[in-house]
Amino acid sequence: MSDTDAPGSDAQTKATRRAVLRRGGSLGVGAVAATGATALAGCGGRGSGGDAGEIDPAGDGESPPLIAHRGFASEHPENTVAAIEAATAVADRIELDVRRCGTGELVAFHDATLGRVTDATGRLDRTSAARLADLSVEDSGEPVPTLARALDAVPADARVLLDLKERGVAADAVAAGAAREHGFAVTADDPAVIEAATAADPTVSTVYGVRESVPARPLRPLIPGRRGGAGPPEWAYPPQDVTGMVETATDLGCAAVSPRYELCLRTDLVSRAADAGLRVLPWTVASAREYDAVAAADVDAVVSDVSLTDRET
C-alpha cells in the first residue's frame, strides 16, 4: 500500500485482528492500555488547545495506560510499520519519532545518524527517502518508513504521540497528524519546537519532555524500581529544577510534561505538575518493576518499551 492509498480490506483485517487480540486472554497492563481512555492520556484539553474531554487518565485504583514507545521498541523493530501494527494490536496509544530525511520527507526515525538501527552509515538528513526504503531496521527486513506511511498504519481508534526530534519539522508533522482520523499530540524537549507546533496549529496538544540533570544520570541504576533497592539517600541525589520544568511546560501552554521516569521517583515533579494542571507521562519504562514504581507515583500514562502483556494483575 502506498502512502496515499485509501484503506481497504487489509485495514479491515487488521482491525479485526486487533479486536481479537484485545479480547483474548489476560493481557495485564496491555489490556489496560487497550481498554482505557479513548484519548492519549494527558495529551489534550489544557494549555494551548485541545478538547477538554480528551484528557482522560486512569481512574482511582486503575493502572495508568501504556504508550508504546516507538512501537514497543524492545519487542519490535522501532518506528517501523511492523512495530506500529504489532503495538496497536494490544495498546491504543503509540509514540513515534519524527525527523526530516535528505530529500525533504518526514520519516519515523529517532537518531540523527543511521548506524545504531541499520547496517548503513551516514546522516539521516543526507539520505534520500528511497535509500531509507531499501534499508532494514534492526535486521528485520522492515524499512525506515516515511511519516505518512507510518501514520497510515495507525488504526483510526488509536492515538499518536509524535516526538519531534529536531527543529524545522513541526508544521509539517502537525499537518500530517491532523490529516488522519486518529487523535494525536506532539512532544519535544526543545521549547522552540513546541512553540513552532503551536504556531502551526494553536489547537494541537503539546507535551514538554524533560530529563534529570547530567550529574544525576549515573545514579539511574540505583533508583528504586530498577533493581528493587533503596537507592541513594535523598541527600546524595543532586537537586533537580522541577520548578523550572513545570513552569516551562505551563508557559508553553502544554497539556502534559513527559519526564525521564526517575524524576517521578526521586522528586516531587508529579505533585507539582498536578498542581499546575499538567498530566505526567514518564519515559522510558522497560520492565514490570519499573512500571509498578511509576504507577505507584500516580502518573497518568507510562511511555514503555515493553507491552507487559504477560504481567500478572
Side-chain angles (χ1 to χ4, degrees):
M1 180 182 292
S2 72
D3 291 347
T4 56
D5 286 340
S9 59
D10 286 347
Q12 294 172 352
T13 299
K14 291 173 186 174
T16 300
R17 174 169 56 84
R18 292 173 68 242
V20 170
L21 285 169
R22 287 181 176 182
R23 289 195 301 267
S26 174
L27 295 181
V29 175
V32 175
T35 60
T38 58
L40 195 69
C43 294
R46 296 179 188 257
S48 61
D51 178 358
E54 288 184 1
I55 290 191
D56 191 3
D60 291 343
E62 294 183 9
S63 300
L66 295 181
I67 300 172
H69 183 239
R70 307 180 199 169
F72 293 134
S74 289
E75 300 173 1
H76 312 295
E78 65 178 54
N79 286 311
T80 63
V81 169
I84 293 166
E85 292 175 349
T88 54
V90 295
D92 63 2
R93 301 162 176 82
I94 188 166
E95 182 260 11
L96 299 172
D97 299 307
V98 181
R99 288 186 179 272
R100 195 180 299 278
C101 72
T103 45
E105 296 90 343
L106 296 186
V107 293
F109 202 78
H110 179 272
D111 298 356
T113 55
L114 303 174
R116 181 178 63 86
V117 296
T118 79
D119 59 2
T121 59
R123 295 185 56 85
L124 180 77
D125 61 6
R126 297 176 184 174
T127 305
S128 69
R131 170 61 175 149
L132 294 172
D134 287 335
L135 300 181
S136 174
V137 175
E138 299 172 1
D139 295 321
S140 65
E142 286 289 312
V144 176
T146 62
L147 180 61
R149 184 165 179 78
L151 291 177
D152 285 346
V154 178
D157 62 342
R159 298 296 182 268
V160 182
L161 184 60
L162 296 178
D163 189 351
L164 310 184
K165 308 307 293 187
E166 61 184 349
R167 296 184 181 186
V169 302
D172 289 345
V174 168
R180 269 70 181 180
E181 292 184 26
H182 50 70
F184 82 102
V186 299
T187 183
D189 59 11
D190 181 350
V193 174
I194 293 178
E195 290 172 344
T198 302
D201 182 355
T203 69
V204 70
S205 295
T206 55
V207 180
Y208 181 44
V210 298
R211 67 181 69 216
E212 73 276 44
S213 64
V214 172
R217 294 173 196 174
L219 297 175
R220 284 176 178 174
L222 303 179
I223 300 299
R226 299 206 81 175
R227 296 182 180 175
E234 294 292 338
W235 57 263
Y237 193 75
Q240 305 298 303
D241 185 16
V242 171
T243 298
M245 296 172 188
V246 171
E247 288 180 350
T248 299
T250 302
D251 291 345
L252 289 168
C254 291
V257 61
S258 187
R260 174 80 191 189
Y261 83 86
E262 288 88 352
L263 285 168
C264 299
L265 306 180
R266 272 307 197 190
T267 75
D268 60 352
L269 176 61
V270 176
S271 61
R272 284 179 180 256
D275 289 345
L278 298 167
R279 301 301 185 192
V280 181
L281 317 179
W283 56 275
T284 302
V285 160
S287 70
R289 176 180 291 166
E290 293 171 6
Y291 175 88
D292 289 341
V294 293
D298 200 25
V299 302
D300 296 286
V302 177
V303 181
S304 178
D305 271 343
V306 291
S307 61
L308 303 177
T309 51
D310 49 357
R311 176 182 182 272
E312 293 298 325
T313 56

